[in-house]
Amino acid sequence: MLGVPQIHGGSPPEPPWRSAPRRHGVPKPQLSREVVVAAALQVLDAEGGDALTMRRVADQIGVSASSLYGYVANKEELVQLVLDRIFEEVDVPPTGGNWQETVKEFARAMLRAYRRHRGVAALTLGRVAVTPGMLATGERILAEVRSAGMPDQVAAFVRDLGGLYVGAIASELDVTPLAGPGQEFLAQFTAWMKSLPADRFPNTRALADMLAAGSIEERFEWGLDVLVRGLATYLTEPLDPRAGWPSGS
Amino acid sequence: MLGVPQIHGGSPPEPPWRSAPRRHGVPKPQLSREVVVAAALQVLDAEGGDALTMRRVADQIGVSASSLYGYVANKEELVQLVLDRIFEEVDVPPTGGNWQETVKEFARAMLRAYRRHRGVAALTLGRVAVTPGMLATGERILAEVRSAGMPDQVAAFVRDLGGLYVGAIASELDVTPLAGPGQEFLAQFTAWMKSLPADRFPNTRALADMLAAGSIEERFEWGLDVLVRGLATYLTEPLDPRAGWPSGS
DNA sequence: ACCTGAACACCGTTCAAGT
DNA sequence: ACCTGAACACCGTTCAAGT
């Protein structure tokens, strides 16, 4: 009609330069645990921790939210799988030099892994993340610390304490606004501390600038130093028996 | 009708033993910031952190959820106010004895405050909680640590590091199932570590029992010991200049 | 002035139904 | 076998409307 030329009675064949269409309209990618976890990481990288949602992960794949439950028991399991992937990404530093520096390098490597995927550090908090990927890193740390002559009880808990510390700092990094309004807030905070009554808050006033100074990365390094120095003392000074540490069982 | 005796034409007067009815049906308590925060704490104590919801807090008061927004900007502000209340509850220990023990006592007091309100510790994580209630505690710690001769840079960050540590441990306490299935899981975990290939995981296998041993409270005490020992080294051994700590600005 | 109720744009999870 | 769509019981937040 209207003079538009019609080729026979059907539509013309696809031109050769057009890519092959997905068959039957809607794409139906094969789902799998890996696909789901990969999509979760993409969502995390692109939109941060708050966006990690069953529905958004499903959207990312192009599938309905309910279909994820065929491959993942629930959101908690998905989070655990994501954390495992992150731990596998930790680029373990070469052993060598003193154990102090090696332990610090481990912590830094973990921080880097967290920073590659914003929002993931917060997932470790308030959660006992026992994953296969964590085991390899844990083994390396244990080896390092034990061969330095550290008591076994101490070695056993370096892992947990370190994980706690790095996770907590990294989540602070994710959450702290680095520029613009964040800096403004910091200035307000400092001014507030300086305006406190001198008789009740002498030390807070005196250290106001220092309390607000230092980037989180600097605080991270400093905290690492405190931890490693503290650990080192156990080489010469034994555990305080009052700490109630189980020596036998 | 139906022979039921009717007293005159209206309903009988209230018997004297029945409490005075609230006037005109629905109670309309006066709202205020304090009422909202108090209700939030009640919800927290009764049902834990996941239950801290604008809607549930409103229910607790007997008011609609939207009415809370007259007294609190949003949920984040409510959380900050709740945290401030908790910090005010910290029963600061008497000064005396060495600074190490005082710092530890502060941490323990904070842990106690968190444990009184389950779910509140998790609220501190991934959040810069700058509240008035925190200032008083901070001032005490600064005074203690400075008078012990600690460098100002160190003193300034004991506060943050300590807060991070206590919050992280306390949130683990809230989340860890202490009995029943939790213990079962721990046994599974230990068995799993022991079943790892001996060539790749010698240390994990050797320390399997120790890695799972120790209550969280014990780990808390041990971690405190590490931190305090680490801090003590700054009295004799200065900061590592490589840490990049701002000495001037 | 203060609170309500409905509405909006979300959640996690389940389950009957489709293919 | 695998995925969809609707449904359920929730979220935080806004806003016109009631009193």
Side-chain angles (χ1 to χ4, degrees), chain A residues 154-168 227-228 231, chain B residues 165 168-169 172 219-220 222-227:
Chain A
V154 174
F157 284 84
V158 169
R159 218 177 53 159
D160 299 331
L161 190 63
L164 208 65
Y165 175 67
V166 178
L227 289 179
V228 167
L231 288 175
Chain B
Y165 175 67
I169 284 271
E172 221 172 304
R219 288 172 49 200
F220 174 74
W222 182 78
L224 264 189
D225 203 46
V226 175
L227 288 179

Side-chain angles (χ1 to χ4, degrees), chain A residues 52-56 66 69 74-75:
Chain A
L52 187 59
T53 277
M54 298 302 273
R55 284 172 139 105
R56 285 227 216 188
S66 50
Y69 290 86
N74 47 36
K75 191 183 176 182

Side-chain angles (χ1 to χ4, degrees), chain B residues 200-214:
Chain B
R200 289 177 50 211
F201 296 97
N203 295 287
T204 306
R205 280 169 60 107
L207 299 189
D209 287 309
M210 272 176 184
L211 286 168

Side-chain angles (χ1 to χ4, degrees), chain B residues 18 26 218:
Chain B
R18 188 172 299 172
V26 189
E218 284 166 340

Side-chain angles (χ1 to χ4, degrees), chain B:
Chain B
M1 317 121 165
L2 285 172
V4 176
Q6 297 288 329
I7 304 172
H8 300 117
S11 46
E14 284 290 307
W17 62 84
R18 188 172 299 172
S19 73
R22 303 181 204 268
R23 290 179 54 79
H24 301 129
V26 189
K28 298 207 179 185
Q30 300 287 2
L31 275 186
S32 70
R33 229 161 222 260
E34 290 82 59
V35 168
V36 173
V37 173
L41 266 175
Q42 283 176 41
V43 169
L44 226 30
D45 293 354
E47 310 183 50
D50 291 342
L52 186 58
T53 277
M54 299 301 275
R55 283 173 141 105
R56 285 226 217 189
V57 170
D59 275 0
Q60 181 75 21
I61 309 174
V63 101
S64 78
S66 51
S67 67
L68 300 185
Y69 290 86
Y71 302 89
V72 143
N74 46 37
K75 192 185 175 180
E76 175 61 25
E77 190 173 74
L78 176 55
V79 168
Q80 297 270 358
L81 291 169
V82 166
L83 286 178
D84 200 32
R85 271 282 305 258
I86 303 293
F87 289 139
E88 277 167 6
E89 268 184 30
V90 174
D91 46 336
V92 284
T95 313
N98 55 9
W99 65 270
Q100 281 104 325
E101 202 49 44
T102 307
V103 166
K104 284 184 181 181
E105 276 302 328
F106 265 113
R108 291 177 190 129
M110 242 159 105
L111 187 69
R112 281 195 298 272
Y114 285 151
R115 300 214 72 182
R116 275 197 290 272
H117 307 283
R118 110 185 111 110
V120 100
L123 299 178
T124 68
L125 301 178
R127 177 176 276 120
V128 225
V130 178
T131 83
M134 198 200 65
L135 271 192
T137 304
E139 172 69 23
R140 284 285 314 275
I141 292 181
L142 289 179
E144 200 72 33
V145 170
R146 281 182 100 194
S147 73
M150 203 71 90
D152 281 355
Q153 296 102 317
V154 175
F157 284 83
V158 168
R159 218 178 53 160
D160 299 330
L161 190 63
L164 209 63
Y165 175 67
V166 179
I169 284 271
S171 76
E172 221 172 304
L173 264 169
D174 280 346
V175 105
T176 304
L178 298 173
Q183 294 303 96
E184 200 177 306
F185 171 74
L186 212 63
Q188 273 188 11
F189 179 41
T190 307
W192 179 47
M193 287 194 291
K194 284 180 176 168
S195 73
L196 292 168
D199 53 334
R200 289 177 50 211
F201 296 97
N203 295 287
T204 306
R205 280 169 60 107
L207 299 189
D209 287 309
M210 272 176 184
L211 286 168
S215 69
I216 296 188
E217 277 92 349
E218 284 166 340
R219 288 172 49 200
F220 174 74
E221 279 296 327
W222 182 78
L224 264 189
D225 203 46
V226 175
L227 288 179
V228 167
R229 282 167 179 245
L231 288 175
T233 65
Y234 292 96
L235 292 174
T236 54
E237 217 178 317
L239 267 175
D240 185 347
R242 280 183 308 161
W245 196 254
S247 45
S249 63

